[in-house]
Amino acid sequence: MKDYLTHVYSDLIVEVDSSLLWVTLNRPQYSNAFSDQMIIDLCRLLREADWDDDVRVIILTGAGKHFCAGGDVKAMEEKTGMFAGDPEELMRRYTKGIQQIPITIESLHTPILAMVNGAAIGAGCDLACMCDMRIGCRHSRFGETFAKLALVPGDGGAFFLQRVVGYAKAMELSLTGRVVTAEEALALGLLNTLVEEASLKEETEKIAQTISGNSPVAVSMIKKAIRQARTAEISGHLDLVAAFQGITQRTADHFEGVRALKEKRKPHFKGQ
């Protein structure tokens, strides 16, 4: 058994189903707001799972009624945990703490999906935006609510939100702090897919299994190419994808895909 699967997590639930890794934020009594330990464990878990060739898709969700409420308001009020200390110490805590989540997620080769089962507020909204896709139901809510608490998105939300919904809408949502419904989230692109609550896990799993059924080498490189293209110039991007294509076009998976197409059958990719 792999170490990250046998580790005891206080604020996470970790389950493996075939090639899918389900990670559940598990502080339902606090609407799954971040704790210091949750941040440490989540980053460690994601990094280790990313090295596991058996894991082809990671799915992130929340326990209970909510996806993630972001920062713990009680800890903010009491100036404890990640909110302890003077301004200089708080800056260090952000750098070494919650900012490690976007750094970790941006480094992943494995696709990561957010199953947004309820409210994704503040840093919880940002966490969903860090993922490659978001699947939700009628209970899904998104709010970039930092301005309501006289704060800024210190976890990188200003970077991620506009890459999901565009500059103008990111500015609107951030400056107003308003919470959007699942239907509006779908229209904005905050949700890729909106399904019935009863079938949320089933539909999320279908999408994950579809991704898992593709060549993991190609999927990983496609993900990296799309992310790199957000900030790259065209010449640099074309150089990268030429190199990627040179690699993928000589993999066993590529030739298996060609054979499967000719034989009109489903390919069996092995990541080779």
Side-chain angles (χ1 to χ4, degrees), residues 98-151:
I98 198 168
Q99 288 185 357
Q100 292 303 308
I101 295 177
I103 289 171
T104 298
I105 291 179
E106 281 287 287
S107 73
L108 296 180
H109 297 83
T110 310
I112 179 167
L113 312 183
M115 187 175 81
V116 186
N117 54 304
I121 303 298
C125 176
D126 298 339
L127 178 64
C129 289
M130 293 172 202
C131 296
D132 299 315
M133 293 177 63
R134 290 154 296 282
I135 301 94
C137 64
R138 64 184 180 88
H139 293 303
S140 301
R141 296 287 185 275
F142 291 85
E144 192 74 352
T145 55
F146 295 93
K148 295 288 188 183
L149 293 176
L151 295 172

Side-chain angles (χ1 to χ4, degrees), residues 186-201:
L186 180 65
L188 287 169
L190 276 167
L191 285 176
N192 293 85
T193 306
L194 178 60
V195 301
E196 293 296 325
E197 178 188 6
S199 59
L200 178 59
K201 184 169 184 179

Side-chain angles (χ1 to χ4, degrees), residues 35-155:
S35 67
D36 287 333
Q37 193 60 50
M38 180 189 285
I39 293 168
I40 292 168
D41 286 343
L42 181 61
C43 291
R44 174 193 170 189
L45 167 65
L46 293 177
R47 286 192 296 266
E48 293 187 18
D50 197 44
W51 280 96
D52 187 350
D53 291 339
D54 293 331
V55 174
R56 296 197 177 183
V57 181
I58 299 167
I59 303 163
L60 193 60
T61 191
K65 298 180 179 180
H66 303 290
F67 177 72
C68 178
D72 188 331
V73 176
K74 186 173 185 290
M76 290 181 194
E77 184 179 21
E78 296 176 353
K79 302 179 184 177
T80 58
M82 69 180 77
F83 305 111
D86 60 21
E88 185 177 349
E89 182 179 347
L90 280 165
M91 182 179 72
R92 290 198 304 271
R93 286 183 180 276
Y94 269 84
T95 301
K96 296 180 179 180
I98 198 168
Q99 288 185 357
Q100 292 303 308
I101 295 177
I103 289 171
T104 298
I105 291 179
E106 281 287 287
S107 73
L108 296 180
H109 297 83
T110 310
I112 179 167
L113 312 183
M115 187 175 81
V116 186
N117 54 304
I121 303 298
C125 176
D126 298 339
L127 178 64
C129 289
M130 293 172 202
C131 296
D132 299 315
M133 293 177 63
R134 290 154 296 282
I135 301 94
C137 64
R138 64 184 180 88
H139 293 303
S140 301
R141 296 287 185 275
F142 291 85
E144 192 74 352
T145 55
F146 295 93
K148 295 288 188 183
L149 293 176
L151 295 172
V152 300
D155 60 330

Side-chain angles (χ1 to χ4, degrees), residues 12 29 34-35 39 46 60 62 93 109 119 153 157 199 203-204 217 220 237 239 244 246 251 265 267:
L12 299 174
Q29 69 275 35
F34 289 112
S35 67
I39 293 168
L46 293 177
L60 193 60
R93 286 183 180 276
H109 297 83
S199 59
E203 293 300 321
T204 301
V217 176
S220 174
H237 177 71
D239 286 344
F244 282 180
T251 60
R265 61 171 173 82

Side-chain angles (χ1 to χ4, degrees), residues 112-257:
I112 179 167
L113 312 183
M115 187 175 81
V116 186
N117 54 304
I121 303 298
C125 176
D126 298 339
L127 178 64
C129 289
M130 293 172 202
C131 296
D132 299 315
M133 293 177 63
R134 290 154 296 282
I135 301 94
C137 64
R138 64 184 180 88
H139 293 303
S140 301
R141 296 287 185 275
F142 291 85
E144 192 74 352
T145 55
F146 295 93
K148 295 288 188 183
L149 293 176
L151 295 172
V152 300
D155 60 330
F159 179 93
F160 292 99
L161 182 62
Q162 66 178 299
R163 282 162 173 78
V164 175
V165 302
Y167 175 87
K169 281 297 179 183
M171 192 66 78
E172 174 194 334
L173 295 177
S174 299
L175 297 184
T176 65
R178 69 183 181 87
V179 176
V180 302
T181 65
E183 290 75 15
E184 185 177 359
L186 180 65
L188 287 169
L190 276 167
L191 285 176
N192 293 85
T193 306
L194 178 60
V195 301
E196 293 296 325
E197 178 188 6
S199 59
L200 178 59
K201 184 169 184 179
E202 178 185 355
E203 293 300 321
T204 301
E205 187 168 355
K206 282 182 182 178
I207 293 170
Q209 289 289 9
T210 298
I211 297 170
S212 176
N214 292 326
S215 167
V217 176
V219 165
S220 174
M221 290 188 177
I222 289 168
K223 169 176 172 166
K224 186 170 184 179
I226 292 173
R227 289 201 165 195
Q228 184 262 2
R230 295 182 305 188
T231 55
E233 294 182 358
I234 184 63
S235 58
H237 177 71
L238 291 176
D239 286 344
L240 178 71
V241 294
F244 282 180
Q245 192 76 318
I247 294 169
T248 56
Q249 209 151 5
R250 288 298 175 263
T251 60
D253 276 357
H254 166 63
F255 293 105
E256 163 61 11

